[in-house]
Amino acid sequence: MFFKRLKTPGLGHNSYILGCGEGLAVIVDPRRDVDEYLHLARENNLSIIYILETHRQEDFEFGSAVLAQMTGAKIVSGCHELFGRTDIKLKDGEELKVGTTRIVALETPGHTPESVTYAVYLEDAGEKCWGAFTGDALFVGDTGRTDLPDPEKTGENAGILYDSVHVKIAPLGDQTLLYPAHGSGSACGGNISDRDDSTLGIENGTNPVFVKSRSEFADLKVAGKMARPPHFRHMEEVNLLPGRPLPSPGETHILQPREFQKRMKQGLVIDTRSPEAFAAAHIGSAYNVWLEGVPAMASWIANEKTQIFLVVDGSEEMEQAVRSFARIGIDTVEGVLAGGVEKWREQGLPIETLGTTSALEVHDWMQHGHLHVLDVRDEYEWNEKHIPGATHQFVGYLEKNLPQLHKDSKIVVHCSVGHRSGVAVSILKRHGFTRVYNMLGGITAWEAHGLPLSTSDTAEKED
Amino acid sequence: MFFKRLKTPGLGHNSYILGCGEGLAVIVDPRRDVDEYLHLARENNLSIIYILETHRQEDFEFGSAVLAQMTGAKIVSGCHELFGRTDIKLKDGEELKVGTTRIVALETPGHTPESVTYAVYLEDAGEKCWGAFTGDALFVGDTGRTDLPDPEKTGENAGILYDSVHVKIAPLGDQTLLYPAHGSGSACGGNISDRDDSTLGIENGTNPVFVKSRSEFADLKVAGKMARPPHFRHMEEVNLLPGRPLPSPGETHILQPREFQKRMKQGLVIDTRSPEAFAAAHIGSAYNVWLEGVPAMASWIANEKTQIFLVVDGSEEMEQAVRSFARIGIDTVEGVLAGGVEKWREQGLPIETLGTTSALEVHDWMQHGHLHVLDVRDEYEWNEKHIPGATHQFVGYLEKNLPQLHKDSKIVVHCSVGHRSGVAVSILKRHGFTRVYNMLGGITAWEAHGLPLSTSDTAEKED
Amino acid sequence: MFFKRLKTPGLGHNSYILGCGEGLAVIVDPRRDVDEYLHLARENNLSIIYILETHRQEDFEFGSAVLAQMTGAKIVSGCHELFGRTDIKLKDGEELKVGTTRIVALETPGHTPESVTYAVYLEDAGEKCWGAFTGDALFVGDTGRTDLPDPEKTGENAGILYDSVHVKIAPLGDQTLLYPAHGSGSACGGNISDRDDSTLGIENGTNPVFVKSRSEFADLKVAGKMARPPHFRHMEEVNLLPGRPLPSPGETHILQPREFQKRMKQGLVIDTRSPEAFAAAHIGSAYNVWLEGVPAMASWIANEKTQIFLVVDGSEEMEQAVRSFARIGIDTVEGVLAGGVEKWREQGLPIETLGTTSALEVHDWMQHGHLHVLDVRDEYEWNEKHIPGATHQFVGYLEKNLPQLHKDSKIVVHCSVGHRSGVAVSILKRHGFTRVYNMLGGITAWEAHGLPLSTSDTAEKED
Amino acid sequence: MFFKRLKTPGLGHNSYILGCGEGLAVIVDPRRDVDEYLHLARENNLSIIYILETHRQEDFEFGSAVLAQMTGAKIVSGCHELFGRTDIKLKDGEELKVGTTRIVALETPGHTPESVTYAVYLEDAGEKCWGAFTGDALFVGDTGRTDLPDPEKTGENAGILYDSVHVKIAPLGDQTLLYPAHGSGSACGGNISDRDDSTLGIENGTNPVFVKSRSEFADLKVAGKMARPPHFRHMEEVNLLPGRPLPSPGETHILQPREFQKRMKQGLVIDTRSPEAFAAAHIGSAYNVWLEGVPAMASWIANEKTQIFLVVDGSEEMEQAVRSFARIGIDTVEGVLAGGVEKWREQGLPIETLGTTSALEVHDWMQHGHLHVLDVRDEYEWNEKHIPGATHQFVGYLEKNLPQLHKDSKIVVHCSVGHRSGVAVSILKRHGFTRVYNMLGGITAWEAHGLPLSTSDTAEKED
């Protein structure tokens, strides 16, 4: 029986291909770039016959429609109208027979109203449920966020989700293998375990949705505020449409430095190199979004209409960047700088620099002079712990809420380890702040040094 | 948390790399070619600190010692003397702490006296057992064979194994993920599921060791006779020794056809192409062992001292073949035929052919004339069902028990689908039988056509 | 300076990517699947600015238009009207400056009227010509065939080609590197060397166009008859059109055996396995076209409207097959048999067999009984040498000129080594001939055995 | 005819595999890691029968002996005693027949006394020479340096080399393809073209050895001083010994940050990341040698006995680094920092920073304050052009000739584009200089901006 989890880096997304016997296979929650599913099907002599959607994904563009068109497979969903045009709509408890396998749909709302879990029963695994594709209802160590449909109803939806897990999923039994739509690093849940393999029995003893009471759980969800990346809105629209094949990296033009310089003014320059490399030399107007951060961070800067000009380390990184943008629905990467910053600077084109610093040095600076420390992590992270004397502004809101400081103020920016602060310092730089430092290692290094920390006191927060 | 199962094709072997927190990792039951473990460790920034052995493997050569030498890792085992020189010997119930992970050794004899199961407890998975490395004690859908230490004590050892599973493993709980040392296709168990993912709770409802009583289970083990490949003895010796690195495919000489013809007389020619390709054109003296069949079948033909001359489809297949021999301890592949049979025949060197046939044609022949049908599957397979009028001789014993027939008798050979019968017809051909046919599709096609079948009547069996 | 030859297997086609300085690159004679050009450009930070066509290719589908659309590059050609809509039309002797490189167009008709050679001058290689992209005007060891525009004018066009080489190309000098559009294995020249690297100086001493007189050369061309694959006509049309991207292998449906059996009746089954594998077991109605033979042989069997159902060895072979069909303009591969013939026969679906034999055995048969030996090589090969007593019919014409023999006649088919004869026996089999044998090793093995050969006596030829 | 050039990045080294007919192949000047030769031989069904050495290489470790041992091939050289123990010693003009190919040895001393050129004659290329393996006698656009045997005799040896080229190589004819042992980026020649493909006829019009008179050529060689990397001496010794297989990257230990910190004191830390990444965050005691620079630069810092602790970007870079060290005979890479600097700083371990700057900024600084500009390029590069007011010290000699300046002086270091200056600033930093800046873009950017340049005035040079 062929079965494989496909992880999408940067999105923390899991999709699955499940062989169901008799040469038939289903795909669960496919991403937009469907090549890998097709490749695995070919390699394993499988005919893809169904595509299961657990819910209308909001954090990435679905590949269901494209995959259905290429393979002739039918798209399967629950009955809720938010699913849009799918081919087979299963009612709660309704079963789909595929080869020797039975797949039962269970309505598990809470993360979103339409969310469905698919419980899988295999011929050779007897009467018990073998595994469950839980979508964003139940993760390993966490559950899907419940603020997306309506932030005001976060707590109410948390209760609905709690009930879905307890009434629909838990009864499948401790032996059930857990196959959620997201793992660690997703914008759909803040505390997902970085472990992939779990069972309902394991979750039963550790996951907050099991360990806490219904009201405690709702309180937790209300407290755990996560920002909502702007592309979620676009994805919700696009995922109701017929689907779009992925643009090829070949369509991104290789622009020689002077051509790049000329054309970059028509759009935005996004530099996907590391914060270190960016700090030491970059094009003046560039944003810095580290490569793995593109799916999560890019939509705070660009949308599906922005012309994007890329600065990358090499051709592999370019391909990954173009694919990462496309996965969140942004197909407008116009060109990439040939030879990167190295070739740019060899041609005598202007480069700029930024400061980097360390936790120890910042602590020292704080003792001896005037300094602004800006924490750009998510609100729930700030609430857990932060550096005394720092101010907070989530990186995604920074460009619209620039610090009310003189442009030559000394500003140290940090996040957890240094990536999001890399985005932030590039934003501050673009807006004329001249003395900005990225505190590499972030609050993680700060804590490792045993330097002092506060817990949340919202009075400190900058508005 | 990085975790990955590495499957060894042709051996049905599973080994594992488990990240344990703080950058430390353990490897479970490594095969002889250790590159992949090292590569995964490098890619995931893991320091390999321990190597766990569940038992002294008999069906493949261990990579523990080589891996330990390269990484400085310690080899961990149970306390039984059959483990030989390992670095850390855990008593029953004793625990090893690795990073944030606890690993508890449980003595689970039955398959072999020294067999140990390692129960794994993860920090983020709470008090319950997360997963169990069960070695050959418990497979998905099956258990390890119990005839290896002493065929006479198969039933007695089955009882011991039954107790190990029920007393030591079952209490770990339904939620426990099952990570055995073998999957489908292993010579260590005949009915292992071709599904990789399971939990104790799933096995609890389906696995014979749980579904049957202790005495029924012992009877089942006694009935399910599997042949014991000759290399098992050699592996048992080698796996107590300090370990040998893998020979490189580069050490196998590329021999041009006439050079191959000259040198092949010093040893054996083994042709790893498909039975079809072999039938249509082959070198007269060659054995045919299909590529994936090398680990399981080759030791019936060659041992660690045989000079082997290979005929293959191409360079990738050559590499796979050399590696497959090495995994069962055979490092004596002297040369490979450059350009394969195609170049051989273009140079006017002699080729021979064999017959192929189909189930329908054989059924027709059986109605109309004299014909010997020889079934070369394992004994337990023959007992389950066979073609009426056929005789049985397991392929591994065939060369020592050739049919007592005229050399020009028409002989049809079959197995389940056509691979082992390919080995068998090549053996018969070498021994002068001139009218041998491989029934492609085997008993599987026969059954699919709805042709008649018998169940075991040992009176029919050839001795 | 980045420069690379890209060879297209099965077509004997060469295309080139040439870095021209300042980050600019040109592509010469691109094939339809343009990914590799784009990939190399990305890897080497090159902007593709021009695409050079040496002539309107007839043996494969051009990728110029697709590549131009993706990169914004301009298509460059000579001025002859047969080039269709290209962006820049260079006159004889006219120069294109690209980066630090000069490219001079030279009209070199003969193979086709529009054929152009591009002479390349590099800044760091001084005044002398560095290399010449000669298209089909001059190959290593051969020249392009001159029968394509009009078979009646083969000799006349040979004279024109002779003049092109002597008047336009030879004066570039002995030092000039030779970069033709075809290497060994092309349908555009029968005796191309299997060596890729040459210079005009080397050709000067060995190539027939230099070694022979103008009239000897014309005679040679008239004598060297090669068949014209049917897709040439389609390619000539398609290559004037705007260009089509390559279909993805993902669009070919994986069909389970019974579904394949049902649907295959709507089109043709083409089995791309080796002649040996085909002989030992195949689907009754299938054609056998060995994988590397698809570009050269497939259009004798299928055209751009034929629904094709594939039988292959595995998924890599499937991808290669789909790509090979697409390269000659056939995008109608509907489905592929999941699991190949092995899974087909395991399900009890009917298989058939064919005979294989060797040169020695055939020679023996010819001494002792009635036998038809059919040679299916190209006419010029037959003329060079053939087996006494054989008849000749080129494989491409065979289906329209079946042997006038009883269906149960014993027929041995051969070609040079056994591939084209594999196609031929599958054709005879489809048309009811029951006793057909593929003589593996072909006339090459026959000759290697020292068996007798005749030279051409057209009286023997079958019509 | 299979033929392929294998380039070794960072060494500018070319080796070759040449198919010679009848399935036989020769390898020319193999590097230490021989896997790729063996792989190509397997893929192309070639038996490696001879290994040709053009001279006793001094800039990398030979793979001849290891390759000979694995394949049974014979090592072929000229007769000079400097070749050590080789199997076949060809006299000047003596011929080796391999398959259908003739290889003629020509003594071509000058770069080194024993240097030999192999002229190749192919059956299908007639009487003329097809190609020449010229070793370091003749490159594309340059010739080998002549100072290695004895710096005092650079001019004298240049004359000998001049004669070798004119008397032995030139007569092979303009049509001859040129296959030297080095391309662009080699430490064996400073002005080798970055074009790989050339012929003797092309060189004839452009290469200094042809364009200049004998005495002009000798003067040129005397003037073109290049430093001699320290590993040359070790290579000269090692290349006379029986040969050593490559250590595996698996033998390099993955060290978690605190373990790395503990052990790194036993040896040297070498950080192979880019100068930018190093500048923004690095371990205090580290040298920075960019990855591609390891073969050329590392021996100025470490020798074959130094315990090396690596900081790299990722596992691929680690493998490349280990291989690069091994290629110049350094097998002592003890460990690599798991997770790189990112994981190091997250654990709160101390990081340091360095300055980066641009040509424009430095020019500005030079107008307005006190500043030391240090040029660390090779002497011949300094002589061609340099920044007025700068001082010169080749990077390789810097650690033994530190600037006589206060440790808090502001020092700007540059090279051609910024890599060697990255090495230099890391050296200065280690020795206590606190205000060092790497001028990224180097003199190339300086010149591109049109800023002023001087030509050599040795008075400015620092001793």
PDB file of all heavy atoms in Angstrom, chain A residues 23 42 45 47 70 253-254 256 318-319 339, chain C residues 23 42 45 47 70 253-254 256 315 318-319 339:
ATOM      1  N   GLY A  23      -5.005  -0.451  -7.558  1.00  0.00           N
ATOM      2  CA  GLY A  23      -4.310   0.541  -8.377  1.00  0.00           C
ATOM      3  C   GLY A  23      -4.884   1.945  -8.288  1.00  0.00           C
ATOM      4  O   GLY A  23      -4.457   2.833  -9.007  1.00  0.00           O
ATOM      5  N   ARG A  42       2.705   7.961 -11.080  1.00  0.00           N
ATOM      6  CA  ARG A  42       3.358   7.238 -12.182  1.00  0.00           C
ATOM      7  C   ARG A  42       4.319   6.189 -11.648  1.00  0.00           C
ATOM      8  O   ARG A  42       4.312   5.041 -12.082  1.00  0.00           O
ATOM      9  CB  ARG A  42       4.178   8.207 -13.054  1.00  0.00           C
ATOM     10  CG  ARG A  42       3.386   8.999 -14.020  1.00  0.00           C
ATOM     11  CD  ARG A  42       4.264   9.546 -15.147  1.00  0.00           C
ATOM     12  NE  ARG A  42       5.311  10.451 -14.709  1.00  0.00           N
ATOM     13  CZ  ARG A  42       5.127  11.719 -14.397  1.00  0.00           C
ATOM     14  NH1 ARG A  42       3.927  12.260 -14.430  1.00  0.00           N
ATOM     15  NH2 ARG A  42       6.144  12.469 -14.043  1.00  0.00           N
ATOM     16  N   ASN A  45       2.459   3.278 -10.204  1.00  0.00           N
ATOM     17  CA  ASN A  45       1.422   2.677 -11.045  1.00  0.00           C
ATOM     18  C   ASN A  45       0.025   2.908 -10.494  1.00  0.00           C
ATOM     19  O   ASN A  45      -0.821   2.019 -10.553  1.00  0.00           O
ATOM     20  CB  ASN A  45       1.675   1.177 -11.196  1.00  0.00           C
ATOM     21  CG  ASN A  45       2.979   0.895 -11.891  1.00  0.00           C
ATOM     22  OD1 ASN A  45       3.219   1.434 -12.975  1.00  0.00           O
ATOM     23  ND2 ASN A  45       3.827   0.096 -11.279  1.00  0.00           N
ATOM     24  N   SER A  47      -3.577   5.069 -10.398  1.00  0.00           N
ATOM     25  CA  SER A  47      -4.507   5.978 -11.063  1.00  0.00           C
ATOM     26  C   SER A  47      -5.160   6.855  -9.994  1.00  0.00           C
ATOM     27  O   SER A  47      -5.834   6.342  -9.107  1.00  0.00           O
ATOM     28  CB  SER A  47      -5.595   5.184 -11.797  1.00  0.00           C
ATOM     29  OG  SER A  47      -5.013   4.289 -12.720  1.00  0.00           O
ATOM     30  N   MET A  70      -6.153  17.202 -15.236  1.00  0.00           N
ATOM     31  CA  MET A  70      -5.107  16.400 -15.855  1.00  0.00           C
ATOM     32  C   MET A  70      -5.371  14.907 -15.744  1.00  0.00           C
ATOM     33  O   MET A  70      -5.008  14.136 -16.626  1.00  0.00           O
ATOM     34  CB  MET A  70      -3.754  16.723 -15.236  1.00  0.00           C
ATOM     35  CG  MET A  70      -3.270  18.116 -15.601  1.00  0.00           C
ATOM     36  SD  MET A  70      -1.683  18.505 -14.827  1.00  0.00           S
ATOM     37  CE  MET A  70      -0.557  17.869 -16.073  1.00  0.00           C
ATOM     38  N   HIS A 253      12.317  36.282 -16.167  1.00  0.00           N
ATOM     39  CA  HIS A 253      13.439  36.731 -16.987  1.00  0.00           C
ATOM     40  C   HIS A 253      14.721  36.898 -16.191  1.00  0.00           C
ATOM     41  O   HIS A 253      14.697  37.438 -15.089  1.00  0.00           O
ATOM     42  CB  HIS A 253      13.080  38.059 -17.668  1.00  0.00           C
ATOM     43  CG  HIS A 253      11.930  37.926 -18.598  1.00  0.00           C
ATOM     44  ND1 HIS A 253      11.001  38.909 -18.821  1.00  0.00           N
ATOM     45  CD2 HIS A 253      11.521  36.878 -19.361  1.00  0.00           C
ATOM     46  CE1 HIS A 253      10.104  38.481 -19.678  1.00  0.00           C
ATOM     47  NE2 HIS A 253      10.384  37.247 -20.016  1.00  0.00           N
ATOM     48  N   ILE A 254      15.810  36.425 -16.764  1.00  0.00           N
ATOM     49  CA  ILE A 254      17.135  36.654 -16.189  1.00  0.00           C
ATOM     50  C   ILE A 254      17.559  38.047 -16.645  1.00  0.00           C
ATOM     51  O   ILE A 254      17.799  38.261 -17.836  1.00  0.00           O
ATOM     52  CB  ILE A 254      18.152  35.618 -16.723  1.00  0.00           C
ATOM     53  CG1 ILE A 254      17.617  34.187 -16.609  1.00  0.00           C
ATOM     54  CG2 ILE A 254      19.500  35.786 -16.012  1.00  0.00           C
ATOM     55  CD1 ILE A 254      17.434  33.705 -15.219  1.00  0.00           C
ATOM     56  N   GLN A 256      20.208  41.114 -16.673  1.00  0.00           N
ATOM     57  CA  GLN A 256      21.564  41.544 -16.371  1.00  0.00           C
ATOM     58  C   GLN A 256      21.489  42.810 -15.511  1.00  0.00           C
ATOM     59  O   GLN A 256      20.500  43.554 -15.559  1.00  0.00           O
ATOM     60  CB  GLN A 256      22.340  41.784 -17.668  1.00  0.00           C
ATOM     61  CG  GLN A 256      22.437  40.527 -18.551  1.00  0.00           C
ATOM     62  CD  GLN A 256      23.070  39.333 -17.845  1.00  0.00           C
ATOM     63  OE1 GLN A 256      24.084  39.466 -17.180  1.00  0.00           O
ATOM     64  NE2 GLN A 256      22.446  38.161 -17.956  1.00  0.00           N
ATOM     65  N   MET A 318      16.275  30.686  -6.826  1.00  0.00           N
ATOM     66  CA  MET A 318      15.309  31.402  -7.652  1.00  0.00           C
ATOM     67  C   MET A 318      14.088  30.529  -7.914  1.00  0.00           C
ATOM     68  O   MET A 318      12.944  30.965  -7.803  1.00  0.00           O
ATOM     69  CB  MET A 318      15.955  31.773  -8.989  1.00  0.00           C
ATOM     70  CG  MET A 318      14.940  32.366  -9.943  1.00  0.00           C
ATOM     71  SD  MET A 318      15.469  32.124 -11.660  1.00  0.00           S
ATOM     72  CE  MET A 318      13.859  32.181 -12.461  1.00  0.00           C
ATOM     73  N   GLU A 319      14.340  29.273  -8.266  1.00  0.00           N
ATOM     74  CA  GLU A 319      13.216  28.376  -8.545  1.00  0.00           C
ATOM     75  C   GLU A 319      12.340  28.207  -7.308  1.00  0.00           C
ATOM     76  O   GLU A 319      11.107  28.218  -7.405  1.00  0.00           O
ATOM     77  CB  GLU A 319      13.727  27.022  -9.043  1.00  0.00           C
ATOM     78  CG  GLU A 319      14.411  27.155 -10.392  1.00  0.00           C
ATOM     79  CD  GLU A 319      14.936  25.839 -10.950  1.00  0.00           C
ATOM     80  OE1 GLU A 319      14.479  24.780 -10.496  1.00  0.00           O
ATOM     81  OE2 GLU A 319      15.796  25.892 -11.848  1.00  0.00           O
ATOM     82  N   GLY A 339      23.339  36.741 -11.632  1.00  0.00           N
ATOM     83  CA  GLY A 339      24.602  36.782 -10.894  1.00  0.00           C
ATOM     84  C   GLY A 339      24.491  37.379  -9.507  1.00  0.00           C
ATOM     85  O   GLY A 339      25.487  37.519  -8.809  1.00  0.00           O
TER      86      GLY A 339
ATOM     87  N   GLY C  23      26.703  38.607 -20.380  1.00  0.00           N
ATOM     88  CA  GLY C  23      25.554  37.897 -19.836  1.00  0.00           C
ATOM     89  C   GLY C  23      24.512  37.501 -20.866  1.00  0.00           C
ATOM     90  O   GLY C  23      23.444  37.001 -20.519  1.00  0.00           O
ATOM     91  N   ARG C  42      19.483  29.884 -16.537  1.00  0.00           N
ATOM     92  CA  ARG C  42      19.353  30.300 -15.138  1.00  0.00           C
ATOM     93  C   ARG C  42      20.613  29.974 -14.348  1.00  0.00           C
ATOM     94  O   ARG C  42      21.142  30.796 -13.613  1.00  0.00           O
ATOM     95  CB  ARG C  42      18.190  29.537 -14.464  1.00  0.00           C
ATOM     96  CG  ARG C  42      16.840  30.094 -14.739  1.00  0.00           C
ATOM     97  CD  ARG C  42      15.829  29.615 -13.703  1.00  0.00           C
ATOM     98  NE  ARG C  42      15.652  28.172 -13.634  1.00  0.00           N
ATOM     99  CZ  ARG C  42      14.930  27.453 -14.468  1.00  0.00           C
ATOM    100  NH1 ARG C  42      14.304  28.026 -15.491  1.00  0.00           N
ATOM    101  NH2 ARG C  42      14.807  26.157 -14.318  1.00  0.00           N
ATOM    102  N   ASN C  45      23.388  32.325 -15.244  1.00  0.00           N
ATOM    103  CA  ASN C  45      23.075  33.760 -15.201  1.00  0.00           C
ATOM    104  C   ASN C  45      23.061  34.392 -16.585  1.00  0.00           C
ATOM    105  O   ASN C  45      23.534  35.511 -16.763  1.00  0.00           O
ATOM    106  CB  ASN C  45      24.097  34.479 -14.308  1.00  0.00           C
ATOM    107  CG  ASN C  45      24.016  34.012 -12.883  1.00  0.00           C
ATOM    108  OD1 ASN C  45      22.926  33.993 -12.303  1.00  0.00           O
ATOM    109  ND2 ASN C  45      25.136  33.596 -12.315  1.00  0.00           N
ATOM    110  N   SER C  47      21.041  35.715 -20.029  1.00  0.00           N
ATOM    111  CA  SER C  47      19.792  36.157 -20.640  1.00  0.00           C
ATOM    112  C   SER C  47      19.787  35.684 -22.094  1.00  0.00           C
ATOM    113  O   SER C  47      20.648  36.070 -22.882  1.00  0.00           O
ATOM    114  CB  SER C  47      19.683  37.686 -20.609  1.00  0.00           C
ATOM    115  OG  SER C  47      19.793  38.167 -19.288  1.00  0.00           O
ATOM    116  N   MET C  70       8.673  32.816 -24.020  1.00  0.00           N
ATOM    117  CA  MET C  70       8.982  32.790 -22.591  1.00  0.00           C
ATOM    118  C   MET C  70      10.088  33.765 -22.206  1.00  0.00           C
ATOM    119  O   MET C  70      10.088  34.312 -21.116  1.00  0.00           O
ATOM    120  CB  MET C  70       9.382  31.376 -22.165  1.00  0.00           C
ATOM    121  CG  MET C  70       8.210  30.412 -22.195  1.00  0.00           C
ATOM    122  SD  MET C  70       8.712  28.731 -21.733  1.00  0.00           S
ATOM    123  CE  MET C  70       8.524  28.824 -19.943  1.00  0.00           C
ATOM    124  N   HIS C 253      -2.715   9.372 -18.892  1.00  0.00           N
ATOM    125  CA  HIS C 253      -3.425   8.669 -17.828  1.00  0.00           C
ATOM    126  C   HIS C 253      -2.795   7.326 -17.500  1.00  0.00           C
ATOM    127  O   HIS C 253      -2.427   6.572 -18.396  1.00  0.00           O
ATOM    128  CB  HIS C 253      -4.894   8.467 -18.218  1.00  0.00           C
ATOM    129  CG  HIS C 253      -5.614   9.760 -18.394  1.00  0.00           C
ATOM    130  ND1 HIS C 253      -6.614   9.955 -19.315  1.00  0.00           N
ATOM    131  CD2 HIS C 253      -5.458  10.956 -17.768  1.00  0.00           C
ATOM    132  CE1 HIS C 253      -7.046  11.193 -19.246  1.00  0.00           C
ATOM    133  NE2 HIS C 253      -6.360  11.832 -18.322  1.00  0.00           N
ATOM    134  N   ILE C 254      -2.684   7.054 -16.202  1.00  0.00           N
ATOM    135  CA  ILE C 254      -2.241   5.737 -15.740  1.00  0.00           C
ATOM    136  C   ILE C 254      -3.474   4.845 -15.766  1.00  0.00           C
ATOM    137  O   ILE C 254      -4.400   5.054 -14.975  1.00  0.00           O
ATOM    138  CB  ILE C 254      -1.711   5.814 -14.295  1.00  0.00           C
ATOM    139  CG1 ILE C 254      -0.702   6.950 -14.123  1.00  0.00           C
ATOM    140  CG2 ILE C 254      -1.140   4.468 -13.852  1.00  0.00           C
ATOM    141  CD1 ILE C 254       0.562   6.775 -14.876  1.00  0.00           C
ATOM    142  N   GLN C 256      -5.283   1.258 -15.235  1.00  0.00           N
ATOM    143  CA  GLN C 256      -5.171  -0.076 -14.660  1.00  0.00           C
ATOM    144  C   GLN C 256      -5.504  -1.100 -15.762  1.00  0.00           C
ATOM    145  O   GLN C 256      -6.225  -0.793 -16.709  1.00  0.00           O
ATOM    146  CB  GLN C 256      -6.099  -0.215 -13.453  1.00  0.00           C
ATOM    147  CG  GLN C 256      -5.795   0.788 -12.335  1.00  0.00           C
ATOM    148  CD  GLN C 256      -4.362   0.715 -11.824  1.00  0.00           C
ATOM    149  OE1 GLN C 256      -3.844  -0.366 -11.593  1.00  0.00           O
ATOM    150  NE2 GLN C 256      -3.709   1.868 -11.684  1.00  0.00           N
ATOM    151  N   SER C 315       8.172   4.102 -14.973  1.00  0.00           N
ATOM    152  CA  SER C 315       7.707   5.475 -15.125  1.00  0.00           C
ATOM    153  C   SER C 315       8.728   6.361 -15.829  1.00  0.00           C
ATOM    154  O   SER C 315       8.357   7.255 -16.574  1.00  0.00           O
ATOM    155  CB  SER C 315       7.332   6.067 -13.769  1.00  0.00           C
ATOM    156  OG  SER C 315       8.426   6.048 -12.897  1.00  0.00           O
ATOM    157  N   MET C 318       8.247   5.737 -19.412  1.00  0.00           N
ATOM    158  CA  MET C 318       7.029   6.374 -19.872  1.00  0.00           C
ATOM    159  C   MET C 318       7.287   7.844 -20.179  1.00  0.00           C
ATOM    160  O   MET C 318       6.882   8.362 -21.216  1.00  0.00           O
ATOM    161  CB  MET C 318       5.954   6.265 -18.796  1.00  0.00           C
ATOM    162  CG  MET C 318       4.720   7.063 -19.163  1.00  0.00           C
ATOM    163  SD  MET C 318       3.794   7.531 -17.681  1.00  0.00           S
ATOM    164  CE  MET C 318       2.969   9.009 -18.319  1.00  0.00           C
ATOM    165  N   GLU C 319       7.983   8.506 -19.281  1.00  0.00           N
ATOM    166  CA  GLU C 319       8.257   9.928 -19.501  1.00  0.00           C
ATOM    167  C   GLU C 319       9.086  10.136 -20.760  1.00  0.00           C
ATOM    168  O   GLU C 319       8.824  11.037 -21.550  1.00  0.00           O
ATOM    169  CB  GLU C 319       8.967  10.531 -18.279  1.00  0.00           C
ATOM    170  CG  GLU C 319       8.059  10.541 -17.065  1.00  0.00           C
ATOM    171  CD  GLU C 319       8.713  11.130 -15.808  1.00  0.00           C
ATOM    172  OE1 GLU C 319       9.718  11.843 -15.944  1.00  0.00           O
ATOM    173  OE2 GLU C 319       8.199  10.860 -14.711  1.00  0.00           O
ATOM    174  N   GLY C 339       1.750  -0.667 -14.250  1.00  0.00           N
ATOM    175  CA  GLY C 339       2.416  -1.899 -13.841  1.00  0.00           C
ATOM    176  C   GLY C 339       2.913  -2.739 -14.998  1.00  0.00           C
ATOM    177  O   GLY C 339       3.474  -3.822 -14.793  1.00  0.00           O
TER     178      GLY C 339
END
